[in-house]
């Protein structure tokens, strides 16, 4: 539910380029935030600015309506809990199901040039660009043949299917998140 989610951007005032520092800074921020606002699940993606500085785009998922978080220049407790620079807080509006696409765009697309995926060239090989709390449900990964894939997409209970993450709606109404790796059995 969108009202249970807050979108938070955390920046560094300094030109912080040490990627290894981010996870510790974020872990301390989460501890402070959970002390003030209660338990929540989280997910973040890292984005590297043109000047080389890192910042984070985070989603905070509460089990209830997300608490109001002051966001003014004079009184900004979340900024104080972050302690490294600027913070923006936004409510999630409209389509909460597209949050993954929204965050991926921050990691990959270059807004200045309008090129999709161009920002990936700014990152060193092997850098993990995202992280999430342990209680975030990850997709189940399965390998299926192309023939089985064709059968699966014909199923009425499949709500959405791609070669990446898919949602299979079960007869019970529950959604099952699955990641498929496709392979061919015919060797043409």
């Amino acid at each position: 539910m969108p009202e249970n989610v807050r979108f938070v951007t955390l920046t560094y005032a300094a030109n912080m380029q040490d990627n290894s520092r981010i996870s510790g800074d974020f872990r301390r921020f989460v501890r402070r935030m959970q002390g003030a606002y209660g338990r929540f699940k989280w997910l973040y993606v890292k984005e590297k600015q043109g000047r080389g500085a890192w910042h984070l785009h985070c989603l905070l998922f509460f089990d209830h309506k997300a608490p109001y978080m002051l966001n003014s220049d004079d009184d900004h407790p979340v900024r104080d809990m972050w302690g490294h620079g600027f913070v923006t807080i936004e409510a999630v509006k409209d389509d909460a199901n597209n949050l993954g696409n929204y965050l991926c765009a921050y990691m990959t697309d270059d807004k200045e040039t309008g090129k999709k995926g161009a920002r990936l060239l700014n990152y060193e090989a092997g850098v993990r660009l995202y992280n999430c709390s342990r209680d975030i449900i990850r997709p189940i990964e399965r390998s299926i043949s192309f023939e089985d894939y064709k059968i699966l997409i014909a199923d009425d209970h499949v709500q959405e299917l791609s070669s990446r993450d898919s949602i299979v709606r079960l007869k019970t109404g529950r959604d099952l998140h699955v990641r498929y790796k496709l392979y061919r059995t015919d060797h043409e």
Side-chain angles (χ1 to χ4, degrees), residues 11-22:
T11 62
Y12 288 89
N15 190 356
M16 201 291 288
Q17 298 184 19
D18 182 5
N19 177 47
S20 64
R21 181 178 147 187
I22 294 172

Side-chain angles (χ1 to χ4, degrees), residues 46-55 57 103-124 129:
K46 301 176 196 176
E47 182 182 2
K48 199 172 189 180
Q49 296 171 313
R51 66 184 174 124
W54 288 99
H55 65 278
H57 297 280
L103 288 176
C104 286
Y106 275 110
M107 276 190 327
T108 61
D109 298 345
D110 190 335
K111 292 176 192 167
E112 291 176 20
T113 64
K115 292 183 180 177
K116 295 239 181 245
R119 190 175 295 254
L120 291 173
L121 299 173
N122 295 336
Y123 304 119
E124 302 85 24
L129 298 176

Side-chain angles (χ1 to χ4, degrees), residues 25-172:
D25 288 347
F26 186 75
R27 194 171 32 255
R28 286 183 288 281
F29 170 71
V30 167
R31 270 197 303 264
R32 291 180 197 121
M33 287 286 290
Q34 289 185 339
Y37 297 109
R39 302 251 336 127
F40 56 83
K41 299 172 188 172
W42 55 265
L43 177 135
Y44 72 72
V45 296
K46 301 176 196 176
E47 182 182 2
K48 199 172 189 180
Q49 296 171 313
R51 66 184 174 124
W54 288 99
H55 65 278
L56 302 171
H57 297 280
C58 316
L59 291 169
L60 310 181
F61 303 95
F62 293 86
D63 289 335
H64 48 79
K65 184 176 179 187
Y68 176 74
M69 298 174 184
L70 286 170
N71 197 13
S72 69
D73 289 338
D74 296 331
D75 194 4
H76 201 311
V78 177
R79 180 189 59 214
D80 297 341
M81 285 182 246
W82 172 239
H84 298 291
F86 306 103
V87 172
T88 59
I89 304 165
E90 297 176 53
V92 173
K93 302 173 186 95
D94 303 328
D95 189 6
N97 292 324
N98 262 336
L99 292 175
N101 292 338
Y102 189 63
L103 288 176
C104 286
Y106 275 110
M107 276 190 327
T108 61
D109 298 345
D110 190 335
K111 292 176 192 167
E112 291 176 20
T113 64
K115 292 183 180 177
K116 295 239 181 245
R119 190 175 295 254
L120 291 173
L121 299 173
N122 295 336
Y123 304 119
E124 302 85 24
V127 171
R128 185 172 179 184
L129 298 176
Y130 66 93
N131 203 355
C132 63
S133 56
R134 289 183 207 154
D135 45 5
I136 293 284
I137 298 171
R138 290 166 178 81
I140 301 164
E141 192 161 304
R142 297 182 180 159
S143 295
I144 62 172
S145 70
F146 187 69
E147 291 74 20
D148 289 339
Y149 170 78
K150 289 191 290 188
I151 294 167
L152 189 60
I153 60 174
D155 189 322
D156 290 338
H157 295 98
V158 176
Q159 177 181 341
E160 181 181 328
L161 190 64
S162 69
S163 60
R164 294 179 184 229
D165 293 343
S166 303
I167 300 170
V168 177
R169 173 133 311 140
L170 303 176
K171 290 180 182 178
T172 62

